[in-house]
Amino acid sequence: MNSEQVFDGYEATQNITFLAKKNPDLMRRIEDVSSKTSELINSGIELTSNSIQYTYSNLPSLKQSLIEKATKDANERAVKIVKTAEGSLGKLKSASMGVFQITGQGSTAEDSYGGNNDTFSKNKTARITVRLEYVLN
């Protein structure tokens, strides 16, 4: 049995991660480089590229703000409903909130039990649902 080694070229592997935290100019440059990978592929260079991921870095503050706004909105709606029905709102009996959702702007993604966290859309919509239950007077 004969064997022969044949040189077929070089293979190089490199992982590159860029973080452009609150730096729109750097983000634009990263997007430009990412969009030019097809030029390298067309010139015969084998290349594997992952999609750019966009994340929001200040989630705790965003969640707090959304909870506050959603609670205020739920209270205002309850007051209007009861007032229209000529009743009055009593003490808060219970409060709960749904899952925190981050979806691409204009997305039709359904709410999921564990929540959504879209990392592929650059522009996002964050949402939370709050449910308040009151005693009626």
Side-chain angles (χ1 to χ4, degrees):
M1 182 170 148
N2 291 333
S3 67
E4 181 180 337
Q5 287 187 339
V6 177
F7 177 74
D8 192 31
Y10 296 99
E11 180 180 319
T13 303
Q14 183 176 23
N15 292 320
I16 302 172
T17 302
F18 296 99
L19 295 174
K21 191 174 183 178
K22 297 181 182 178
N23 187 335
D25 182 53
L26 178 58
M27 192 66 238
R28 273 191 297 281
R29 291 177 22 216
I30 291 169
E31 290 168 338
D32 288 345
V33 168
S34 178
S35 70
K36 292 180 181 174
T37 57
S38 59
E39 292 175 22
L40 293 172
I41 294 168
N42 291 338
S43 70
I45 297 174
E46 290 185 32
L47 180 68
T48 302
S49 177
N50 294 329
S51 299
I52 293 177
Q53 292 190 347
Y54 300 92
T55 58
Y56 186 78
S57 60
N58 198 8
L59 281 180
S61 176
L62 176 63
K63 284 181 181 179
Q64 292 293 327
S65 173
L66 286 177
I67 291 168
E68 182 180 335
K69 289 176 183 174
T71 303
K72 182 179 178 186
D73 181 61
N75 177 266
E76 289 172 357
R77 288 175 188 227
V79 167
K80 285 181 184 176
I81 291 169
V82 172
K83 191 175 185 179
T84 302
E86 298 180 3
S88 65
L89 211 54
K91 289 185 178 184
L92 180 65
K93 188 171 159 183
S94 70
S96 63
M97 67 180 188
V99 293
F100 183 67
Q101 307 279 345
I102 297 178
T103 57
Q105 215 167 42
S107 170
T108 58
E110 296 290 322
D111 290 354
S112 70
Y113 178 73
N116 288 317
N117 186 8
D118 179 311
T119 59
F120 296 103
S121 301
K122 188 173 183 178
N123 298 313
K124 303 173 185 309
T125 299
R127 183 168 48 111
I128 195 161
T129 303
V130 171
R131 178 186 169 141
L132 304 178
E133 189 175 335
Y134 290 92
V135 174
L136 297 176
N137 292 330

